[in-house]
Amino acid sequence: MTGTVYTLEINPQLPERLERLEELANNLWYSWDRPTRGLFASLSAPLWKATNHNPKAFLKRADQKRLEATAENPVFLAALSRVVSAYDTYHEMPGMAHVHGHPFRDDDLIAYFCAEFGFHESLPIYSGGLGILAGDHCKAASDLGLPFVGVGLLYRQGYFQQTLSADGHQHATYTDSDFDDLPVSPVLDADGREILVPVELPGRTVQAKVWEVRVGHVRLVLLDTWLAQNSEHDRDITHRLYGGDKTTRIEQEILLGIGGVRALAALGLKPTVWHVNEGHAAFLILERIRRLVAGGLPYAAALEAVAANVVFTTHTPVPAGHDHFAEEMIRRYFAHWCQELGIGCEQLMALGAEPGKAEFNMTALALRGSRHHNGVSRIHGDVSADICRYLWPQIEPAENPMEYVTNGVHLPTFLAPEWFETFERYLGIGWQARQTDPANWDGIELIPDATFWSIRQQLKAKLFELVRERIREQHKRNQGSPSHLDRLLKLVDPDNPKVLTIGFARRFATYKRAALLFQDPSWLREIIEQADRPVLFLFAGKAHPADLPGQEIIRQIAQMARLPEFEGRILLVEGYDLHLSRSLVAGVDVWLNNPIYPLEASGTSGMKAAMNGALNLSVLDGWWGEGYDEGEGLPNGWAIKPVPGHLDDAQRDAEEARALYELLQDHVIPTYYRTGPMGYSPEWIAMAKRSIASIAPRFNVIRMVGEYAQKFYGPAAAHGRRYSDADFAAARDVAAWKSRVRAAWPGVRLRRLDSPERRLRFGHSVHVELAVQLNGLAPADVTVEALVGRPGHRPGHGRVRRYALHFAGHAENGEALYRLELTPELCGKLEYRLRIFPAHPALIHPFETGLMIWL
């Protein structure tokens, strides 16, 4: 048949009784409200699957007659009424209803910038953990009623879809999204016209269209350059998430940071807190400085005013996770910025400078342009403080301004629906509102073991159904035989899901060591080949298309899975996405994680698994360094202790693989199969219950965002107001003061005038007197203090006491005199040190200058 083919899409007309389905489809509230998603799935399960669980696309393709019949179905209408009632109740919640005590004013607004957001598979603008965390952050901000707006990019192609060949070669497929099918809407001005934002790039101006997404109470603003008035190159800026070369990357980040600031201004939004979530968005700092300088503020004061209310979160210690750009590229893209500010490009380069590197570091820019910084776990906070110590060169890492907020996960999104009714019964009505209260979770112990085991088996059966479906598709495409498929799926039996199932699913980066399990194949075979104690390992995840070592790991796992001794016991499932992720964390018995310490900044998948009753088997890195609890004979999982850092890579991997094998052989497998008369292991269930009760209240995103609000957002809003009040008087003052202190500091000297005593009776005092050459600084410009503690305790340790020396006038030679009568409060061996550092009442962190001199 010949002739031109024309396409035509016929959209159904929603009956009046079903009209609010459209409203539900356009608010990502459905991404964490399962009854809402269930409504759409009940209309047509095949269409729901075909549209990738996308309510908006679903409604555009639904059968008109089916909709009309449904509009007369009392059962569906009753379900719709319940969902709409819950939706309305949630959205009628007054702002700040759940954040009593958080220090915000009515005009406060938190702007949260991130390169990706992962809410649900129906909005594919995410690649992995950073995006999922950002999505959960927005959901929690909505749940808490925070004044919050997200800012990102609307990619026409999100991250790639993954297929695997029979030998484990990854194939990446990119598909353009039809924005009409996504839960996004263009933002219109008062005259009904689409809002466009101009962003200057070398030799041209790019226009970006502004879209918005509703996430419960929260608004997400997204920018898109796929416009006819832009050149083909510029249309491609927002074409693909993390695609293209360095030019594409810097242009995406300019659009995100600079365009994002301009988009908020075009919408009339005036943030009082700016959260830079990873360095991709750090160019917003430059745009905010430019605006203040254009208003008449000197550059140095503008930098202080901007930094006062910027929060920066760094998410990885891995160098590849931090963007660097060549000096030539920065000069080319920001020459106009330097001209507008009347500064040399050297000052711009200094904002992104890192010692020993010629490139411009986006993390350095984010740190210098913010006064509130954090890692995403306790371990990562310490690691980041050490990595970034060059910004505060005279400050011990333990005392520098880098803090931490441990990540969490959005419980309603990742808790399997099978748990909700049970939790309601045993934790009490309204348990979700009390999810951060450890006492709320005491009721987990009341759940009968048989009930608990039954739910766990249901979840595993559902996981097995999905795995069988994915493996069948994979096998068919790779032209495998039916008999071989039967052998592959011999343990994946939804009707008998009793096999111990261990899951490993995440991005296949080399530091995550997905193949550590295969360090000693013969030992592994010995561990898992016992017929009466079968073990199934499920692997899933993607490697970036440019990450060849990561792709090689996938091939290595595929090769091991094809060996006769491991066939059917190790399955590599393709197409890792949020849908598969939710099933895996809910259905596996054990969640395996074995990164190279300390490169796992946090990790959240293990949290999701734990709150669903799975047990973690993990290296003590990231969040598990805080989450693991040995208890009194009843741990909440298993821990692999990192080996000493002096070992080489091969020794480290061998030793930690040995620990993994020993835990599997001596603890995990025996405990699971130590079954009682009811067919399950009471010891295993006790550990699983303890895992939920100990992890769910601490590692949920409500706690996390609450910490951000208390530790960073509230203070940042207050600091921003203080620095901008009275024509930015505080910002001007601090900028001038820092300039004066930095000029004088090389000439500051300390010397001790008294003779140090070595022994003292308890209750007596030791006299300390110092002479300080201030080199033109005033006594009020500095703090002189003694630090007292036990031998080995370092500054920043909670048991090190600080005692300020008081100014006692000037000596004849002009030196400032400082004195202290020190009366120690402890007996035994003590040690003390003396130091001086700059001090100003308007500083946001006492050591933000990075300057300190020790005697």
Side-chain angles (χ1 to χ4, degrees):
M1 192 167 70
T2 60
T4 302
V5 176
Y6 299 94
T7 60
L8 181 64
E9 179 178 284
I10 309 299
N11 300 142
Q13 178 69 41
L14 278 176
E16 184 177 353
R17 288 180 172 181
L18 305 184
E19 282 181 346
R20 293 205 67 187
L21 284 174
E22 186 170 2
E23 184 179 355
L24 295 173
N26 280 284
N27 191 312
L28 280 162
W29 184 71
Y30 69 71
S31 70
W32 71 93
D33 188 73
R34 294 173 190 270
T36 302
R37 300 202 301 275
L39 272 180
F40 292 97
S42 68
L43 283 168
S44 172
L47 180 60
W48 180 243
K49 180 182 176 183
T51 57
N52 199 28
H53 315 132
N54 182 334
K56 190 171 179 180
F58 180 96
L59 290 182
K60 291 176 63 181
R61 292 158 177 78
D63 181 74
Q64 183 70 46
K65 291 182 179 179
R66 180 67 179 270
L67 291 174
E68 290 171 355
T70 301
E72 304 300 326
N73 183 332
V75 175
F76 183 89
L77 292 176
L80 174 60
S81 178
R82 289 192 296 271
V83 166
V84 167
S85 176
Y87 175 88
D88 288 340
T89 299
Y90 182 89
H91 286 83
E92 288 166 4
M93 178 181 70
M96 308 303 294
H98 290 85
V99 285
H100 299 301
H102 288 179
F104 295 106
R105 300 197 322 193
D106 290 343
D107 60 346
D108 277 328
L109 177 64
I110 302 152
Y112 180 88
F113 283 64
C114 192
E116 54 173 299
F117 288 86
F119 298 100
H120 187 255
E121 55 268 27
S122 59
L123 185 59
I125 58 171
Y126 65 94
S127 72
L130 177 68
I132 306 305
L133 190 281
D136 281 5
H137 201 118
C138 292
K139 293 173 184 179
S142 174
D143 291 342
L144 290 167
L146 287 178
F148 196 92
V149 59
V151 181
L153 302 180
L154 182 57
Y155 305 98
R156 195 156 293 270
Q157 289 183 352
Y159 211 45
F160 67 94
Q161 289 82 50
Q162 178 202 55
T163 56
L164 298 175
S165 65
D167 59 358
H169 279 79
Q170 173 180 276
H171 297 280
T173 303
Y174 290 91
T175 305
D176 281 6
S177 295
D178 182 347
F179 289 174
D180 287 341
D181 285 348
L182 302 184
V184 301
S185 304
V187 182
L188 307 178
D189 64 17
D191 298 321
R193 295 172 300 194
E194 294 179 345
I195 293 179
L196 301 181
V197 172
V199 177
E200 299 80 19
L201 295 177
R204 80 272 193 197
T205 297
V206 177
Q207 297 292 333
K209 182 176 176 178
V210 182
W211 299 76
E212 71 174 353
V213 180
R214 291 291 176 175
V215 187
H217 294 285
V218 163
R219 188 180 191 183
L220 174 64
V221 174
L222 301 174
L223 296 177
D224 158 41
T225 61
W226 195 264
L227 304 174
Q229 54 266 55
N230 290 332
S231 69
E232 181 178 355
H233 171 86
D234 291 338
R235 288 198 293 270
D236 280 344
I237 292 174
T238 56
H239 190 206
R240 181 178 294 175
L241 170 62
Y242 298 146
D245 54 14
K246 281 283 190 181
T247 296
T248 301
R249 177 60 65 90
I250 195 172
E251 290 176 353
Q252 286 184 342
E253 298 190 359
I254 289 171
L255 181 66
L256 173 61
I258 294 176
V261 173
R262 295 179 182 181
L264 294 179
L267 298 178
L269 300 176
K270 299 178 180 179
T272 54
V273 177
W274 303 76
H275 190 162
V276 177
N277 193 46
E278 198 52 280
H280 309 304
F283 285 138
L284 73 84
I285 293 162
L286 303 187
E287 171 64 8
R288 293 188 60 213
I289 290 173
R290 185 193 67 80
R291 288 171 170 255
L292 291 180
V293 171
L297 197 62
Y299 167 75
L303 174 58
E304 295 297 334
V306 165
N309 62 357
V310 174
V311 178
F312 170 58
T313 301
T314 178
H315 284 269
T316 178
V318 179
H322 302 266
D323 287 330
H324 299 76
F325 298 108
E327 179 176 348
E328 179 279 328
M329 180 173 275
I330 294 295
R331 288 177 178 272
R332 179 157 48 90
Y333 277 89
F334 288 96
H336 67 285
W337 185 84
C338 295
Q339 290 169 2
E340 284 190 51
L341 271 63
I343 64 172
C345 280
E346 292 72 20
Q347 286 178 274
L348 168 61
M349 292 303 299
L351 288 175
E354 183 181 0
K357 305 284 180 65
E359 294 185 311
F360 187 92
N361 184 339
M362 292 296 286
T363 297
L365 169 63
L367 287 164
R368 290 191 175 96
S370 61
R371 294 291 175 262
H372 310 270
H373 334 280
N374 71 283
V376 290
S377 70
R378 183 179 61 210
I379 293 172
H380 181 233
D382 291 342
V383 171
S384 297
D386 189 58
I387 290 173
C388 301
R389 65 189 304 166
Y390 65 87
L391 288 155
W392 308 285
Q394 297 179 356
I395 310 298
E396 293 281 344
E399 288 193 292
N400 74 27
M402 182 64 69
E403 299 189 44
Y404 77 92
V405 174
T406 302
N407 283 343
V409 298
H410 191 246
L411 186 147
T413 297
F414 292 101
L415 184 68
E418 287 79 357
W419 285 117
F420 279 86
E421 184 179 341
T422 301
F423 284 2
E424 191 91 354
R425 184 180 309 137
Y426 293 99
L427 304 186
I429 295 174
W431 65 271
Q432 287 190 66
R434 304 187 302 273
Q435 63 184 273
T436 59
D437 180 6
N440 176 60
W441 297 89
D442 291 345
I444 292 291
E445 289 294 332
L446 303 176
I447 301 174
D449 285 359
T451 300
F452 192 96
W453 178 253
S454 175
I455 292 174
R456 292 290 309 148
Q457 295 300 94
Q458 290 176 49
L459 295 176
K460 198 190 301 185
K462 288 177 66 174
L463 169 62
F464 282 2
E465 288 172 357
L466 179 59
V467 168
R468 290 177 71 89
E469 178 184 313
R470 295 275 179 112
I471 295 293
R472 279 197 200 100
E473 293 177 3
Q474 204 168 316
H475 194 70
K476 181 179 179 181
R477 189 186 60 255
N478 292 324
Q479 300 181 335
S481 69
S483 59
H484 187 214
L485 179 63
D486 290 340
R487 291 168 63 189
L488 287 178
L489 298 177
K490 61 187 178 184
L491 295 179
V492 189
D493 183 0
D495 295 326
N496 186 27
K498 293 184 179 180
V499 58
L500 171 61
T501 303
I502 300 176
F504 183 104
R506 53 187 46 82
R507 182 167 55 91
F508 278 105
T510 52
Y511 77 89
K512 294 180 182 287
R513 294 192 300 186
L516 186 69
L517 182 68
F518 310 114
Q519 184 83 5
D520 188 337
S522 60
W523 192 352
L524 178 63
R525 181 176 64 248
E526 178 186 331
I527 291 172
I528 69 175
E529 70 179 356
Q530 301 174 53
D532 60 335
R533 301 198 306 184
V535 181
L536 172 67
F537 288 93
L538 298 177
F539 285 85
K542 299 176 179 178
H544 190 281
D547 183 4
L548 298 182
Q551 293 178 51
E552 180 57 35
I553 292 173
I554 296 177
R555 286 194 292 274
Q556 184 181 349
I557 295 171
Q559 291 165 5
M560 297 300 297
R562 296 175 70 185
L563 295 176
E565 59 265 39
F566 296 133
E567 193 172 63
R569 299 177 185 274
I570 296 170
L571 293 178
L572 180 58
V573 187
E574 68 182 13
Y576 187 52
D577 61 7
L578 264 172
H579 179 51
L580 178 57
S581 170
R582 288 194 300 267
S583 295
L584 280 167
V585 296
V588 299
D589 299 301
V590 176
W591 196 256
L592 177 62
N593 188 30
N594 39 241
I596 297 172
Y597 178 90
L599 300 183
E600 182 76 286
S602 175
T604 57
S605 56
M607 304 173 189
K608 300 163 190 171
M611 62 180 53
N612 279 289
L615 293 172
N616 278 272
L617 169 55
S618 176
V619 169
L620 283 172
D621 196 8
W623 81 277
W624 191 233
E626 301 165 54
Y628 174 63
D629 184 358
E630 292 184 271
E632 296 181 5
L634 186 66
N636 63 354
W638 295 278
I640 300 169
K641 186 178 180 180
V643 299
H646 66 269
L647 298 181
D648 63 29
D649 292 354
Q651 291 175 309
R652 177 201 63 217
D653 289 352
E655 288 298 318
E656 293 182 5
R658 170 186 287 273
L660 171 58
Y661 292 146
E662 289 173 344
L663 284 169
L664 287 170
Q665 181 174 272
D666 300 339
H667 296 278
V668 179
I669 298 172
T671 302
Y672 183 84
Y673 283 108
R674 199 175 293 128
T675 57
M678 300 296 291
Y680 54 78
S681 166
E683 183 182 352
W684 186 276
I685 291 179
M687 287 182 66
K689 287 181 177 179
R690 188 159 188 274
S691 176
I692 295 176
S694 62
I695 290 170
R698 294 176 57 198
F699 297 98
N700 62 74
V701 77
I702 298 298
R703 184 274 310 157
M704 181 193 87
V705 174
E707 277 193 46
Y708 274 106
Q710 292 286 5
K711 292 174 67 171
F712 298 122
Y713 294 159
H719 293 141
R721 284 190 290 270
R722 186 174 67 180
Y723 270 58
S724 61
D725 283 349
D727 191 28
F728 297 93
R732 295 172 191 268
D733 182 36
V734 168
W737 175 83
K738 283 185 177 180
S739 177
R740 183 164 55 85
V741 166
R742 287 179 180 132
W745 200 251
V748 173
R749 299 286 184 271
L750 293 177
R751 64 187 182 95
R752 190 163 183 178
L753 300 179
D754 64 284
S755 298
E757 296 187 46
R758 297 195 59 185
R759 287 182 177 83
L760 196 69
R761 289 191 177 276
F762 181 77
H764 289 207
S765 299
V766 58
H767 176 73
V768 179
E769 184 170 4
L770 301 183
V772 182
Q773 172 53 258
L774 290 174
N775 196 29
L777 297 178
D781 291 328
V782 300
T783 291
V784 182
E785 65 181 13
L787 275 71
V788 183
R790 296 291 188 191
H793 287 173
R794 309 300 296 168
H797 191 287
R799 295 181 180 178
V800 174
R801 299 291 303 274
R802 297 169 58 179
Y803 300 87
L805 280 71
H806 67 274
F807 173 63
H810 288 93
E812 291 183 2
N813 63 359
E815 290 178 309
L817 302 178
Y818 285 83
R819 295 177 181 142
L820 171 67
E821 297 298 321
L822 175 61
T823 308
E825 300 173 8
L826 298 171
C827 290
K829 286 189 177 295
L830 301 177
E831 59 184 27
Y832 65 97
R833 299 199 286 169
L834 301 165
R835 67 185 183 183
I836 183 173
F837 55 89
H840 190 286
L843 289 181
I844 293 168
H845 189 282
F847 303 143
E848 70 182 65
T849 63
L851 302 175
M852 184 175 288
I853 296 171
W854 294 87
L855 182 65

